[in-house]
Amino acid sequence: MPTMNIIQAVNDALRLEMRRDPRVVILGEDVAKFGGVFRATSGLVDEFGPDRVMDTPLAEAGIIGAAIGMALYGLRPVPEIQFADFIFPAFDQIVNELAKFRYRSGGQYPAPVVIRTPYGGGIRGGHYHSQSPEALFIHTPGLKVVVPSDPYEAKGLLLSCIRQNDPVLFLEPKRIYRASKGEVPEGDYTIPLGKARVVREGTQVTVIAWGSMLHTALEGVDKAAELGISCEVIDLRTLMPFDVETMVESVKKTGRAVIVQEAPRTCGFAAELSATISERAMAWLEAPVERLCGFDTPFPYTLEHEYMPNGDRVLSTIQKTLDW
Amino acid sequence: MNLPYAPSRIEAVEREVPVNKALLLGLYRQMLAIRRIEEASAKAYAQGKIGGFLHLGIGQEAVCVGAVGALRPEDYVVATYREHGHAYAKGMTARSILAELYGKKTGCSKGLGGSMHLFDAEKNFLGGYGIVGGHVPLAAGVAYKCKYLGEKRVTLCFFGDGAANIGGFFEGVALAALWKLPIVFICENNLYSMGTPLYRSLSVEDVSMKALAFGIARDRFDGEDVLRVRARLAEAVERARETCEPTLIEVRTYRFRGHSMSDPGQYRTKDEVEEWKKRDPLSIARRRLVEEADADEGELRQIELGVKAELEDAIRFADESPPADEYLPFTIKE
């Protein structure tokens, strides 16, 4: 089995699906000749030609709008937004058109658009190349939101996304684009949407994370293990619709929950998870559900290391739930 | 009158389209049915049977009927929020349109959308859109699909003068021009974006001039004669179908009612509205039928009775249909 990083796994998934299904097309800024700003679409234009891998003008609303139109009668566009921070010019297209299409046409028009975009901090990208906007889209009914945490996950989840009929925002954690490596099967396989993954079993605290924060969470959990604390770690994978059962069953077992997200704290997705756990597992909780988040500030450039959750902060949050 | 947006400012039409009686009878019937649908909607709105927002196209019928009349059934139409007439012209029934406005299960979108959300996949009618200009790039995507699959289908994208300032419009036209897509963009310029007249919203009031920036074909004419609209559109549709060249068209028109049902239209004078009503597209079509095609009153009366019966049936259908079913695409279950 070949070893890949996340970029290679995304590229492999796109290539596989484009070979399998002529309806799949890619469009975005610099996705063809340049191969994408992070090279995720590298070489695809050579194999599939410029009609299937299209460089676009710098016009995010145009990119997403056109992708919706392509999807209505059966193409399967996979547009790339160069950075998640650049998605906001297309926010109207995503929220008002893409997300509502199936519903407002009485089910006549599903809009199977999979928007890929690199997101998140940790690369010293500053204000405009670091944000984690997942909550804004989870809060938009009609969209699915999926975040892979390693190369195996990236390929299997992306293939599932392209093969189903609802619009998806596929957020790729760019901090670990190359840092996360692992074995990835060469052929076809999928990972079901809406199912979380128990990464590590444990008994005292449930730690929930997604994307690059999964690795931060594991760092903290390793430190906790050295102190004899047993944590169960859940990779949420699909943020919408999220896997309530796996999360709640785990908390019923451990009695404690820590949610790790790098987006700002207030109204972040961790708040929704915390509320859900409280509603469903109140009687089993030994301590309040804890959120470890970014701060309520524009994403910082020089103070990024202060902003990003890290292993030590994960450990102290775990300890806080045990000391309560 | 000294109005900056008075009819006299509109460029003269250089040629008259001769009357083809059978064709004009058909187009007249469509325009009449659309007007009656709009009048029935207004009445139902006043009775509380239609909720929310309702934008009527009374006065503008020649544009949608003439333009869609230049298409083939397999061509696509992407319209605006003032789209009841466009839907009807594309072959949707008065029943399915009115039932949708009423929020009934038998409506074209199962009653889940309402006035701005008319869709019919079989008729290739791709919807009303409530976000001004947001549909323009989407229409480009539909045209891309047609080109990619090698279909000889044209996409006709309507927009209003209000959309001519918004980003979505420019991004959509830019892509269509860059990728040479089989599409026609048609601006239904009714001189007001809601209550703001052209001269206060557009530095260049000729919307077709924007085509120059994209290097695509353009056209511009008055929209009260349905035969003229159809003939001029046919040229652009042919260009799109045969050479994959987009066209940007501006048609001047006028709505006799307010922007929506809640708009009394106080930003226009009575004189101005009356002046435009002299150019009512229905009256013009009827007059041309009588004067230039020897249509007799009995023949026209027959059409008018047919439309009356069609509407009575559609209103009864909408009234008697069951309300929309619940439809939740996916959600976290309580």
Side-chain angles (χ1 to χ4, degrees), chain A residues 22-25 27 50-52 54-57 59-63 65-66 68-70 72-73 75 92-93 96-97 101-109 142-144 166 240-242 244 280, chain B residues 76 108-110 112-113 116-117 119-122 124-126 128-131 133-135 137-142 144-145 148-149 153 168 171-172 175 178-179 327-334:
Chain A
R23 299 171 304 168
V24 177
V25 296
L27 65 161
D51 289 345
R52 296 188 68 192
M54 286 163 272
D55 282 328
T56 65
E60 283 80 8
I63 293 167
I68 300 168
M70 292 174 188
L72 297 182
Y73 278 92
L75 295 190
D92 171 52
Q93 287 293 335
N96 276 323
E97 308 301 350
F101 227 104
R102 180 147 76 88
Y103 192 100
R104 77 187 190 97
S105 67
Q108 291 183 82
Y109 290 105
L143 293 179
K144 289 179 179 168
D166 281 311
M240 188 69 191
F242 61 98
V244 176
R280 313 263 175 144
Chain B
Y76 295 111
C108 56
S109 303
K110 301 197 178 86
L112 297 167
M116 290 176 257
H117 311 276
F119 289 90
D120 193 327
E122 272 178 34
N124 297 314
F125 188 76
L126 262 170
Y129 292 82
I131 308 299
H135 63 302
L138 190 147
V142 175
Y144 182 87
K145 185 266 328 187
Y148 177 77
L149 295 179
R153 283 172 150 176
E171 296 192 19
L175 287 177
L178 182 69
W179 292 340
Y327 178 80
L328 299 170
F330 60 83
T331 185
I332 303 292
K333 300 261 183 330
E334 284 301 320

Side-chain angles (χ1 to χ4, degrees), chain B residues 177-252:
Chain B
L178 182 69
W179 292 340
K180 299 213 182 315
L181 300 179
I183 189 165
V184 178
F185 299 104
I186 175 170
C187 177
E188 296 177 275
N189 187 342
N190 64 14
L191 314 186
Y192 293 88
S193 43
M194 217 160 114
T196 304
L198 282 188
Y199 73 92
R200 283 204 276 130
S201 66
L202 278 165
S203 55
V204 176
E205 293 182 26
D206 177 351
V207 174
S208 76
M209 293 276 280
K210 298 192 188 301
L212 301 176
F214 301 103
I216 60 173
R218 71 186 177 114
D219 195 6
R220 186 185 196 222
F221 51 89
D222 266 352
E224 81 275 5
D225 178 359
V226 69
L227 287 176
R228 181 194 307 136
V229 176
R230 187 177 178 278
R232 296 288 273 271
L233 259 292
E235 294 172 18
V237 169
E238 168 87 3
R239 187 179 301 125
R241 199 184 311 281
E242 298 308 324
T243 63
C244 272
E245 274 185 78
T247 303
L248 178 59
I249 299 175
E250 182 198 45
V251 183
R252 290 281 170 127

Side-chain angles (χ1 to χ4, degrees), chain B residues 13-27:
Chain B
V13 175
E14 66 277 16
R15 62 197 144 98
E16 195 73 3
V17 178
V19 173
N20 168 329
K21 186 178 176 185
L23 174 65
L24 186 53
L25 279 173
L27 298 175

Side-chain angles (χ1 to χ4, degrees), chain B:
Chain B
M1 273 195 304
N2 181 24
L3 297 167
Y5 34 85
S8 61
R9 273 182 63 95
I10 296 170
E11 285 174 8
V13 175
E14 66 277 16
R15 62 197 144 98
E16 195 73 3
V17 178
V19 173
N20 168 329
K21 186 178 176 185
L23 174 65
L24 186 53
L25 279 173
L27 298 175
Y28 173 65
R29 192 194 187 286
Q30 282 189 25
M31 292 197 293
L32 186 64
I34 290 166
R35 179 152 306 178
R36 296 291 177 260
I37 288 171
E38 299 293 60
E39 288 164 354
S41 306
K43 191 174 167 196
Y45 190 88
Q47 294 169 332
K49 291 178 179 174
I50 296 174
F53 295 85
L54 183 66
H55 309 94
L56 303 179
I58 292 176
Q60 303 187 189
E61 293 91 341
V63 184
C64 58
V65 169
V68 175
L71 298 178
R72 297 179 186 163
E74 67 267 29
D75 294 334
Y76 295 111
V77 170
V78 179
T80 67
Y81 53 81
R82 198 183 304 285
E83 92 287 26
H84 309 156
H86 309 65
Y88 187 84
K90 196 71 179 77
M92 292 169 63
T93 62
R95 277 186 165 206
S96 75
I97 293 168
L98 277 179
E100 185 60 34
L101 267 53
Y102 277 54
K104 296 299 182 73
K105 193 178 174 178
T106 52
C108 56
S109 303
K110 301 197 178 86
L112 297 167
S115 166
M116 290 176 257
H117 311 276
L118 304 181
F119 289 90
D120 193 327
E122 272 178 34
K123 301 291 183 190
N124 297 314
F125 188 76
L126 262 170
Y129 292 82
I131 308 299
V132 169
H135 63 302
V136 180
L138 190 147
V142 175
Y144 182 87
K145 185 266 328 187
C146 299
K147 189 175 181 184
Y148 177 77
L149 295 179
E151 304 168 337
K152 283 242 162 186
R153 283 172 150 176
V154 174
T155 300
L156 179 57
C157 176
F158 290 88
F159 64 101
D161 46 294
N165 280 310
I166 210 163
F169 165 73
F170 290 94
E171 296 192 19
V173 178
L175 287 177
L178 182 69
W179 292 340
K180 299 213 182 315
L181 300 179
I183 189 165
V184 178
F185 299 104
I186 175 170
C187 177
E188 296 177 275
N189 187 342
N190 64 14
L191 314 186
Y192 293 88
S193 43
M194 217 160 114
T196 304
L198 282 188
Y199 73 92
R200 283 204 276 130
S201 66
L202 278 165
S203 55
V204 176
E205 293 182 26
D206 177 351
V207 174
S208 76
M209 293 276 280
K210 298 192 188 301
L212 301 176
F214 301 103
I216 60 173
R218 71 186 177 114
D219 195 6
R220 186 185 196 222
F221 51 89
D222 266 352
E224 81 275 5
D225 178 359
V226 69
L227 287 176
R228 181 194 307 136
V229 176
R230 187 177 178 278
R232 296 288 273 271
L233 259 292
E235 294 172 18
V237 169
E238 168 87 3
R239 187 179 301 125
R241 199 184 311 281
E242 298 308 324
T243 63
C244 272
E245 274 185 78
T247 303
L248 178 59
I249 299 175
E250 182 198 45
V251 183
R252 290 281 170 127
T253 185
Y254 199 82
R255 57 173 156 73
F256 298 164
R257 308 279 295 247
H259 163 77
S260 70
M261 290 301 289
S262 60
D263 167 20
Q266 285 168 350
Y267 45 86
R268 315 190 291 196
T269 63
K270 275 211 172 71
D271 284 351
E272 180 190 320
V273 178
E274 288 310 313
E275 193 61 30
W276 276 94
K277 281 186 176 172
K278 289 179 191 161
R279 303 164 64 185
D280 183 335
L282 270 74
S283 311
I284 290 172
R286 202 176 197 283
R287 192 173 68 228
R288 293 197 74 187
L289 279 166
V290 173
E291 291 176 3
E292 298 172 47
D294 293 327
D296 62 54
E297 277 300 320
E299 198 169 5
L300 295 172
R301 188 78 194 127
Q302 212 47 45
I303 286 180
E304 285 150 11
L305 286 174
V307 167
K308 188 162 181 275
E310 183 183 337
L311 261 290
E312 281 167 1
D313 166 73
I315 293 164
R316 192 169 48 245
F317 177 76
D319 266 326
E320 291 171 0
S321 290
D325 278 347
E326 267 190 72
Y327 178 80
L328 299 170
F330 60 83
T331 185
I332 303 292
K333 300 261 183 330
E334 284 301 320

Side-chain angles (χ1 to χ4, degrees), chain A residues 254-267:
Chain A
T254 61
R256 295 175 183 85
V258 169
I259 305 155
V260 187
Q261 82 175 20
E262 66 175 271
R265 178 184 182 90
T266 304
C267 286

